[in-house]
Amino acid sequence: MPPRKSYNRLFTMLPSFSLDCIRSQTHFPVGPTHGPEFQYRDAERAIIILRDPRLAVPSYLNYQYGLEHGDDHGIQAPLEVWEEWRDEPGRVVTEVMGWINITKHWARRMNHWLNYDNLYVLMYEDLVGRDTGIRALSSLISFLGYSNKVTDEAIRCAWEEILGEDAKGRGIRRQKEYVPSYSTEQDAWITAELQAFAEWFGQDNAQSSLGEAVRSYV
């Protein structure tokens, strides 16, 4: 999952952004939660941040490893630690199904609680990409109704401060010593599960931004 600390910094840096809106971050229904799910029932809109699960899984390990070594968002677990953790029995299945289950849960909530017009899907890859990041952030600001309060320059500065090249060591970019990979069997299983999940959305939601995002990871 994307780091809490850097996104909080990103949002609060924008002028007037946090003055009259309530924001609640949750990983429900996966992992520990703070308070009951019902606290989110009255929300009128939702933002879902998605990352390719093939990269979200090792990023989660990096977070756990960092907590044990005093830097929760600044270091990458050594290659041998990643490979041992990845190859634990059931590890890949557990982590990828957690990604699928949380996304499926909020897809259902959009159908029965809100509607897809009130959902913004923010793809992590778009947000951190230099060619797409400022545009993605600007689109998010527009969805929240703050485009008339936040200048393009403020958006650019916020992105550069948190995600730009000069933010190494202070933003969400860890120094990478290797690119995490999976065994042939693991990669094939992940692809098959993502394909099945994409098909789960069905024809009714074929054009939804969430379904499109899932399909892009197949």
Side-chain angles (χ1 to χ4, degrees):
M1 299 298 175
R4 176 192 304 268
K5 180 165 54 180
S6 293
Y7 284 112
N8 284 349
R9 288 176 58 206
L10 186 62
F11 292 155
T12 55
M13 283 181 62
L14 300 174
S16 304
F17 191 90
S18 300
L19 297 181
D20 60 353
C21 67
I22 297 174
R23 172 168 49 88
S24 182
Q25 178 172 321
T26 178
H27 290 170
F28 188 91
V30 176
T33 58
H34 302 284
E37 179 212 6
F38 298 103
Q39 66 182 295
Y40 312 113
R41 176 174 290 177
D42 295 332
E44 296 180 355
R45 292 181 294 175
I47 300 167
I48 295 180
I49 303 176
L50 288 183
R51 185 179 188 181
D52 187 331
R54 298 174 185 85
L55 296 176
V57 169
S59 180
Y60 176 60
L61 170 65
N62 292 337
Y63 171 72
Q64 291 183 314
Y65 184 84
L67 284 178
E68 297 174 357
H69 293 80
D71 191 352
D72 54 354
H73 293 305
I75 57 177
Q76 183 182 34
L79 177 59
E80 59 271 19
V81 173
W82 156 246
E83 291 179 340
E84 180 180 359
W85 186 81
R86 176 200 67 189
D87 293 337
E88 291 175 1
R91 171 61 66 185
V92 171
V93 172
T94 297
E95 301 301 334
V96 173
M97 291 309 299
W99 186 97
I100 289 174
N101 287 338
I102 190 173
T103 308
K104 183 178 291 187
H105 170 82
W106 289 100
R108 286 170 170 158
R109 289 288 292 271
M110 292 303 101
N111 272 338
H112 300 292
W113 171 52
L114 303 175
N115 61 67
Y116 279 93
D117 291 335
N118 291 322
L119 170 68
Y120 187 88
V121 178
L122 179 60
M123 298 180 72
Y124 177 91
E125 294 81 4
D126 288 344
L127 182 62
V128 301
R130 173 157 293 279
D131 295 334
T132 57
I134 296 174
R135 185 167 61 251
L137 182 56
S138 179
S139 179
L140 172 61
I141 298 300
S142 179
F143 169 78
L144 293 172
Y146 282 83
S147 56
N148 62 334
K149 296 183 179 181
V150 183
T151 66
D152 291 343
E153 180 63 16
I155 293 173
R156 186 193 65 78
C157 288
W159 189 91
E160 290 290 349
E161 173 69 17
I162 305 301
L163 297 167
E165 293 179 358
D166 293 336
K168 290 180 179 178
R170 298 182 295 112
I172 66 172
R173 297 183 187 276
R174 294 182 178 91
Q175 296 287 350
K176 300 296 193 302
E177 301 296 331
Y178 64 91
V179 177
S181 62
Y182 298 85
S183 69
T184 301
E185 293 78 10
Q186 290 168 338
D187 190 64
W189 179 85
I190 294 171
T191 299
E193 288 299 318
L194 290 176
Q195 179 65 54
F197 186 32
E199 294 173 358
W200 173 84
F201 280 89
Q203 294 301 314
D204 290 342
N205 295 331
Q207 301 303 317
S208 75
S209 55
L210 187 54
E212 289 298 318
V214 170
R215 276 185 280 275
S216 74
Y217 292 137
V218 174

